[in-house]
């Protein structure tokens, strides 16, 4: 079974225990306006243009069967322009790979996983949008004794999550907002399915997995005591005790949006400071919580 990937990143240290290789699957069914990975959102491959490398030779336009369709609706990411771009300014992001081929590649890092207590993390985009591929890849990882984790926004039916749980050691799940309208405005989608799935992550086959809820702290969206307190109450009422990570917004991805012919809707927003994060984390009393650069504290 083939999956559509856009990156395989070795030496990851923020996506689970130890040193990990993170596999990024393409495609997402949310459109969070602050998204740091614009190239993850569409399922299909897409053209990437690094304007700083372009020497203006015009070879791309000549090669294009659509008459120079870059970043228009007519571009089908055929990649012919990239093939003619000797300056390396053009490339196609996204490619298909068999699960068996992927795991063969992942096993090259096995010694590193064993020494560091690491493993493999499937991220995205939303990896659960490619469930058959994910199931096959996770099964092969398990058969080879690799520690496995997934990063999901959980905006999929529970029936798609449940069969994978026996193949996972760790589940990272986003929690963006409790208020359904706020969630819809910021991501394009309500949060009922997501909240139901998070509740169920402590049930049945899911029981015993390490669950880490990740809360992105986004200025003007959920960076207020009212919304964060609601999230803390929701977490305290869960039938299990997940860890929580606060992920402060950073706006370091504007250039990436430009490379894909898009504009960044969160341009100019200011990252929350350490003091602010410390204050927010105080709202989560009784919950094991951490944020980047800080030790976990309760
Ligand atoms: S990827 Fe293909 S269709 Fe798109 S601009 Fe390049 S040559 Fe044209
Ligand atoms: S869920 Fe993640 S990948 Fe999808 S749009 Fe939101 S931030 Fe981006």
């Amino acid at each position: 079974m083939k999956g559509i990937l856009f990156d395989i990143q070795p030496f990851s240290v923020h996506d689970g225990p130890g040193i990990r290789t993170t596999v990024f699957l393409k495609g997402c069914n949310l459109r969070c306006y602050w998204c740091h990975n614009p190239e993850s959102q569409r399922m299909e491959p897409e053209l990437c243009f690094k304007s700083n490398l372009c020497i203006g030779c015009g070879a791309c336009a000549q090669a294009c069967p659509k008459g120079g369709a870059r970043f228009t609706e007519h571009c089908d990411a055929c990649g012919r322009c990239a093939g003619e771009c000797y300056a390396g300014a053009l490339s196609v992001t996204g490619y298909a790979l068999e699960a068996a081929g992927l795991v063969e590649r992942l096993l090259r890092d096995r010694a590193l996983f064993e020494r560091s207590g690491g493993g493999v993390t499937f991220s995205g985009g939303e990896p659960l949008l490619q469930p058959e591929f994910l199931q096959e890849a996770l099964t092969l990882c398990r058969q080879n004794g690799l520690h496995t984790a997934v990063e999901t926004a959980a905006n999929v039916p529970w029936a798609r999550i449940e069969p994978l749980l026996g193949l996972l050691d760790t589940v990272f799940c986003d929690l963006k907002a409790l208020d359904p309208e706020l969630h819809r405005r910021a991501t394009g989608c309500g949060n009922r399915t997501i909240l139901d799935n998070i509740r169920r992550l402590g049930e049945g086959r899911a029981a015993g997995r390490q669950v880490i809820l990740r809360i992105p702290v986004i200025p003007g969206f959920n960076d207020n005591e009212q919304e964060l307190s609601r999230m803390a109450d929701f977490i305290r009422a869960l039938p299990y005790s997940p860890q929580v990570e606060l992920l402060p917004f950073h706006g370091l991805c504007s250039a990436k949006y430009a490379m894909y012919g898009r504009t960044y809707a969160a341009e100019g927003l200011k990252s929350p400071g350490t003091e602010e994060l410390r204050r927010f984390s105080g709202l989560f009393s009784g919950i094991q919580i951490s944020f980047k650069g800080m030790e976990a504290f309760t």
Side-chain angles (χ1 to χ4, degrees):
M1 173 88 206
K2 280 186 175 166
I4 310 287
L5 279 61
F6 69 93
D7 203 6
I8 299 173
Q9 221 170 71
F11 309 114
S12 300
V13 291
H14 295 297
D15 299 322
I19 299 175
R20 312 187 68 79
T21 297
T22 302
V23 180
F24 292 89
L25 275 67
K26 207 156 158 35
C28 185
N29 56 6
L30 297 180
R31 286 293 179 269
C32 311
Y33 68 85
W34 61 84
C35 180
H36 293 165
N37 289 322
E39 75 277 35
S40 75
Q41 294 181 337
R42 297 178 187 154
M43 183 70 82
E44 59 278 4
E46 57 194 302
L47 196 60
C48 175
F49 173 56
K50 294 179 179 151
S51 59
N52 58 323
L53 296 180
C54 176
I55 54 171
C57 67
C60 52
Q62 279 179 23
C64 179
K66 310 265 173 69
R70 186 170 71 219
F71 299 150
T72 72
E73 60 191 302
H74 305 296
C75 175
D76 59 4
C78 71
R80 288 191 207 173
C81 54
E84 293 300 320
C85 179
Y86 298 107
L90 285 164
S91 57
V92 174
T93 301
Y95 55 95
L97 189 61
E98 288 284 351
L102 169 66
V103 176
E104 201 181 306
R105 154 72 190 82
L106 295 170
L107 286 170
R108 286 188 227 148
D109 299 334
R110 185 204 280 275
L112 194 59
F113 300 154
E114 285 173 357
R115 253 180 277 135
S116 68
V120 178
T121 300
F122 290 86
S123 183
E126 173 52 73
L128 295 177
L129 293 185
Q130 302 187 54
E132 292 91 2
F133 170 77
L134 189 56
Q135 181 148 15
E136 189 178 336
L138 284 170
T139 302
L140 291 169
C141 286
R142 279 294 210 203
Q143 285 169 358
N144 284 284
L146 302 184
H147 182 282
T148 54
V150 71
E151 289 180 338
T152 177
N155 187 36
V156 296
W158 177 251
R160 199 175 282 188
I161 299 175
E162 213 264 342
L164 300 174
L165 291 168
L167 300 168
L168 285 163
D169 296 296
T170 301
V171 177
F172 290 94
C173 185
D174 291 352
L175 175 60
K176 300 171 202 284
L178 254 278
D179 181 319
E181 261 321 297
L182 183 66
H183 195 278
R184 186 181 300 282
R185 281 203 303 275
T187 70
C189 199
N191 59 359
R192 193 169 159 183
T193 301
I194 295 169
L195 298 183
D196 283 349
N197 285 336
I198 291 176
R199 284 187 196 97
R200 299 183 77 171
L201 281 174
E203 279 178 13
R205 265 218 262 185
R209 309 281 136 246
Q210 180 188 34
V211 178
I212 300 173
L213 299 180
R214 284 184 153 172
I215 300 176
V217 181
I218 312 298
F221 165 57
N222 62 3
D223 67 334
N224 62 77
E225 299 202 357
Q226 188 187 350
E227 189 55 33
L228 289 168
S229 295
R230 285 185 70 182
M231 285 195 246
D233 290 342
F234 170 81
I235 294 165
R236 281 189 209 98
L238 289 172
Y240 62 103
S241 300
Q243 291 166 244
V244 172
E245 292 179 356
L246 297 184
L247 302 184
F249 167 83
H250 71 73
L252 304 175
C253 47
S254 307
K256 231 201 293 188
Y257 274 79
M259 283 180 211
Y260 291 91
R262 297 184 229 167
T263 45
Y264 189 33
E267 181 76 56
L269 290 186
K270 207 168 150 273
S271 307
T274 305
E275 272 320 303
E276 204 175 4
L277 288 169
R278 195 182 287 281
R279 185 164 53 81
F280 290 151
S281 62
L283 302 169
F284 290 78
S285 57
I287 297 168
Q288 193 189 353
I289 185 163
S290 61
F291 55 89
K292 232 178 184 172
M294 296 291 295
E295 295 303 314
F297 52 92
T298 305

